[in-house]
Amino acid sequence: MQRESARSLDRSFLWAAGFMVLGTLLFTGSHGIVRWVGGGMHPLMMALLSNLFSALFFVPWIARHGIGILRTRHFPLHVLRALFNVASITCWYWALALTPLADATALGSTAPLFATFGAVLILGEPMRLRRWTALVIGVVGALIIVRPGFAEVSLGYVFVIASCVMSSGSRIIAKQLSRTDSPLVCSAYVAMLQTPFSFMLALLVWSTPDVMRLGAMVVVGIMVAMAQYLTVESLRTAEIGAVESFNYLRLV
């Protein structure tokens, strides 16, 4: 019986790891596109379009099953997660516009540490030595690979750290929500709720994008929506501390 239970846990963890890896690759791909678009579009506009097309990605699913599929007992938590996510996305896109990619990647490697530490403090997750070791090795490896040249602390670096903190908060809330709501519900809510928030911010710098950049942001929105779903599915299946180290695969 114990062997069967252990094998079941191993399979669950492998699925969780696979979901996190795929989600990380999709997030990384979307960041590459954002980096390319960044020279001709304000970060607040990019955040709005990313959120908007992520929300539209879930419309066919809602239309098929009806609005009742979104029923939840924790709507305030979904709103709070959306606020964290809007802040994280906006800060990250702004950082990519202001910071060399190598430096942003190096600083961004601290995000799993924030998420894991928060899960221990807030969710009471156990933290084993091998998990801390994996995370520390990931940070050191990231610094060795990208060899950041931090000549001075600029505003871009502040945006990177702020994005990491907000992203970690979003993941902790997602872990909490995944205990009662499905990954699809969690992903749909965060996409739909953060769109009006980012719209209000984008009004301050509104500019109509050209067709090429608009098309690029459609791709970004779809990739982010899929990555959100895979990430929540991973967090639902395993502890945050167990899967966060897989985020370092984005360095490849």
Side-chain angles (χ1 to χ4, degrees):
M1 182 68 72
Q2 289 181 344
R3 287 183 178 179
E4 287 296 326
S5 178
R7 280 197 289 266
S8 177
L9 287 174
D10 287 342
R11 285 194 296 268
S12 296
F13 176 73
L14 287 175
W15 278 109
F19 289 139
M20 183 60 76
V21 168
L22 290 174
T24 298
L25 293 176
L26 285 168
F27 274 129
T28 303
S30 71
H31 294 162
I33 297 174
V34 166
R35 178 70 177 175
W36 173 76
V37 173
M41 189 183 302
H42 196 281
L44 293 178
M45 282 297 301
M46 289 191 290
L48 167 62
L49 294 174
S50 173
N51 294 332
L52 174 62
F53 292 121
S54 290
L56 292 176
F57 177 82
F58 294 100
V59 169
W61 171 69
I62 297 172
R64 180 179 179 182
H65 296 280
I67 195 69
I69 197 71
L70 295 176
R71 188 176 294 108
T72 179
R73 293 177 296 169
H74 304 289
F75 184 73
L77 268 182
H78 285 289
V79 174
L80 182 61
R81 183 178 174 231
L83 289 171
F84 271 96
N85 239 41
V86 167
S88 174
I89 292 172
T90 302
C91 287
W92 183 251
Y93 288 177
W94 220 314
L96 290 180
L98 298 174
T99 310
L101 190 56
D103 290 357
T105 302
L107 275 178
S109 68
T110 60
L113 289 174
F114 287 122
T116 302
F117 191 61
V120 172
L121 290 179
I122 298 171
L123 300 179
E125 286 191 0
M127 195 56 197
R128 301 173 181 87
L129 178 61
R130 62 183 180 183
R131 294 183 183 177
W132 283 118
T133 303
L135 289 171
V136 171
I137 290 174
V139 173
V140 174
L143 294 174
I144 292 174
I145 292 171
V146 300
R147 296 188 298 274
F150 298 119
E152 59 182 14
V153 177
S154 72
L155 186 60
Y157 303 143
V158 175
F159 279 129
V160 173
I161 294 297
S163 176
C164 291
V165 172
M166 295 300 171
S167 174
S168 300
S170 174
R171 293 193 178 213
I172 292 169
I173 297 172
K175 175 66 176 178
Q176 183 71 21
L177 286 169
S178 69
R179 295 171 178 173
T180 55
D181 295 344
S182 73
L184 272 172
V185 169
C186 293
S187 304
Y189 263 120
V190 76
M192 292 186 296
L193 289 172
Q194 63 193 16
T195 298
F197 294 140
S198 54
F199 175 72
M200 289 185 287
L201 293 173
L203 284 176
L204 302 173
V205 295
W206 187 270
S207 61
T208 303
D210 58 49
V211 175
M212 183 175 294
R213 287 187 171 82
L214 186 63
M217 293 311 299
V218 170
V219 175
V220 168
I222 293 172
M223 294 175 72
V224 168
M226 295 171 65
Q228 284 284 357
Y229 168 78
L230 291 166
T231 299
V232 177
E233 183 66 58
S234 175
L235 296 176
R236 182 186 68 84
T237 310
E239 294 172 348
I240 291 178
V243 294
E244 274 297 314
S245 57
F246 290 98
N247 275 296
Y248 293 115
L249 287 174
R250 67 184 180 211
L251 293 172
V252 177

